[in-house]
Amino acid sequence: MLIKCLLLAVLFVVNIDQKVNSQTTCQTVLDLIILLDGSGSIGSGPFAQAKSAMVDLVSRLNVGPQKVHVSILRYSSTVEDSYVFNKVGSNQMKDQIVRVINNLKYNGGGTATGEAIQRARSVCDAACRNQEELVPRAVVLFTDGQSNNANLVKIESELLREKTKAVVFAVGIGSGVNNAELQLSASTPYNKYVLHLKDYLQLTQVINQITLVACNAPAFNEPGVVYKNEVDKDTYRFYRTEIKGLRSGLGGFMEIAVNITQGNVRVFTSTTEANPTSENTRQALVRSHDAKSATDIYMEYIPPNTSTFYSSFQGISNTNQYTFVTRVVDINGGLIG
């Protein structure tokens, strides 16, 4: 009986591990920039922990020309481009990126976090894939939050989020973490994007969180722009549209015009859930169909004071390709965006 119980326990742990691994590997498309603070206030031990976390993160990603692109910037008093992706991803090889991380040196010195964030924006401007390709963007900053200029961190972080549309994680490392500055750097909500790596035991937990959130980050789409995209069978592509121009106190509608060129998709929408799926929201219904252009029109209500509208496309066939355009209209049907 004891042997049987031990065997069942082992099988249970294996099943749990398999479930965790399946949930924290990333098969999506993503542009990722990692910033590593190597300043004197960090200490060599936490710096090594952060490097281990970076290796763990990269190992979970489907790195490649058409999938995940990774850039690495190490900084202290100055910022260095340790490894920068290019638009076509021809330099994206996982073993090479891991080798670069393992060779990063702890040099000490000052803490130019604001300049590093500024450099991340420049890298993305030059090397991130075009927004028309609908590739989500994420920045992961490992730091203790003890920068030379907190005001510059605030300014550059706001510009980074606004200009690149990236989600930003701030991971606290070391024993003297300034949590207030981590919040200046990170996206909101902070309980999702501000994390702490106090020791090696937290490494897996922190990287699980980053992988799950970053790999499901919705890509930004502009109203009125026609986008072309594709989605694999039984997977989702997530999108977000910023709502501007609705009068205060009044709602409106989001119109999504979809033209399926190959396969078939299901569309899900939400004004609260960043990753709408069949498990957490209802499937959007076609409101009208233009037979001449083979376009399906989805019309979804936007409650008053909504700032962001989320949508997703789920692949039904083995190959699913489509174009879509979103439009925001006010409660009276007037076009806003």
Side-chain angles (χ1 to χ4, degrees):
M1 176 64 72
L2 177 59
I3 294 175
K4 183 178 181 180
C5 289
L6 289 173
L7 179 60
L8 289 173
V10 169
L11 290 173
F12 176 76
V13 171
V14 169
N15 287 335
I16 290 296
D17 286 343
Q18 289 175 342
K19 183 177 181 182
V20 168
N21 288 336
S22 68
Q23 290 178 336
T24 54
T25 56
C26 182
Q27 298 299 319
T28 191
V29 181
L30 180 70
D31 282 343
L32 173 66
I33 302 175
I34 304 174
L35 310 181
L36 176 60
D37 183 348
S39 63
S41 60
I42 293 293
S44 58
F47 183 81
Q49 291 173 11
K51 285 174 56 176
S52 295
M54 291 165 62
V55 169
D56 192 356
L57 175 59
V58 171
S59 69
R60 296 165 186 254
L61 305 176
N62 188 5
V63 175
Q66 304 302 321
K67 289 294 183 177
V68 179
H69 292 186
V70 180
S71 282
I72 299 166
L73 309 179
R74 192 203 67 86
Y75 71 94
S76 51
S77 299
T78 58
V79 184
E80 67 176 34
D81 295 349
S82 301
Y83 195 83
V84 174
F85 52 47
N86 54 42
K87 281 186 180 292
V88 297
S90 58
N91 66 334
Q92 292 301 287
M93 294 171 284
K94 184 180 294 188
D95 58 346
Q96 184 176 351
I97 295 171
V98 169
R99 188 160 55 248
V100 168
I101 295 171
N102 286 328
N103 289 334
L104 292 174
K105 303 299 183 183
Y106 173 69
N107 295 329
T111 313
T113 305
E115 290 85 350
I117 295 171
Q118 182 183 59
R119 179 58 187 155
R121 177 161 56 90
S122 298
V123 166
C124 192
D125 287 344
C128 280
R129 282 164 282 192
N130 296 331
Q131 288 192 345
E132 289 78 10
E133 298 180 64
L134 293 172
V135 176
R137 299 166 175 179
V139 175
V140 181
L141 167 66
F142 291 93
T143 181
D144 62 356
Q146 305 287 352
S147 73
N148 298 338
N149 188 335
N151 188 54
L152 183 63
V153 170
K154 179 178 184 297
I155 292 170
E156 289 300 333
S157 296
E158 290 174 351
L159 285 171
L160 176 69
R161 294 190 298 268
E162 172 61 26
K163 299 298 184 182
T164 69
K165 307 300 181 184
V167 296
V168 182
F169 297 85
V171 183
I173 56 176
S175 58
V177 173
N178 181 345
N179 199 63
E181 186 167 304
L182 295 186
Q183 292 182 359
L184 291 180
S185 308
S187 299
T188 55
Y190 297 136
N191 63 352
K192 191 174 183 179
Y193 294 102
V194 175
L195 307 168
H196 294 85
L197 184 61
K198 296 180 181 178
D199 51 49
Y200 281 105
L201 295 177
Q202 287 189 309
L203 188 150
T204 300
Q205 178 183 348
V206 166
I207 298 307
N208 281 353
Q209 172 79 349
I210 293 173
T211 308
L212 286 170
V213 176
C215 290
N216 290 299
F220 173 79
N221 73 281
E222 190 79 35
V225 178
V226 178
Y227 295 95
K228 179 180 179 181
N229 219 322
E230 60 184 59
V231 60
D232 295 333
K233 184 177 182 180
D234 298 327
T235 62
Y236 292 86
R237 294 296 296 265
F238 299 106
Y239 310 107
R240 63 185 174 97
T241 310
E242 294 180 0
I243 308 299
K244 298 178 181 178
L246 287 179
R247 285 180 291 173
S248 179
L250 297 176
F253 296 92
M254 176 66 71
E255 178 186 280
I256 310 174
V258 181
N259 188 319
I260 300 172
T261 55
Q262 186 172 354
N264 197 12
V265 298
R266 295 190 183 100
V267 178
F268 297 85
T269 65
S270 176
T271 56
T272 57
E273 173 57 58
N275 301 118
T277 68
S278 60
E279 296 181 357
N280 58 29
T281 191
R282 64 178 179 80
Q283 181 179 343
L285 300 177
V286 175
R287 303 300 180 184
S288 64
H289 175 77
D290 186 337
K292 186 175 181 180
S293 63
T295 300
D296 292 327
I297 306 295
Y298 300 82
M299 185 75 77
E300 297 294 311
Y301 174 66
I302 305 172
N305 304 315
T306 299
S307 60
T308 309
F309 181 87
Y310 302 99
S311 60
S312 70
F313 288 60
Q314 180 190 24
I316 305 302
S317 304
N318 289 329
T319 302
N320 307 278
Q321 298 177 343
Y322 53 91
T323 63
F324 75 99
V325 59
T326 58
R327 297 183 179 88
V328 183
V329 298
D330 64 23
I331 201 69
N332 298 314
L335 181 65
I336 295 175

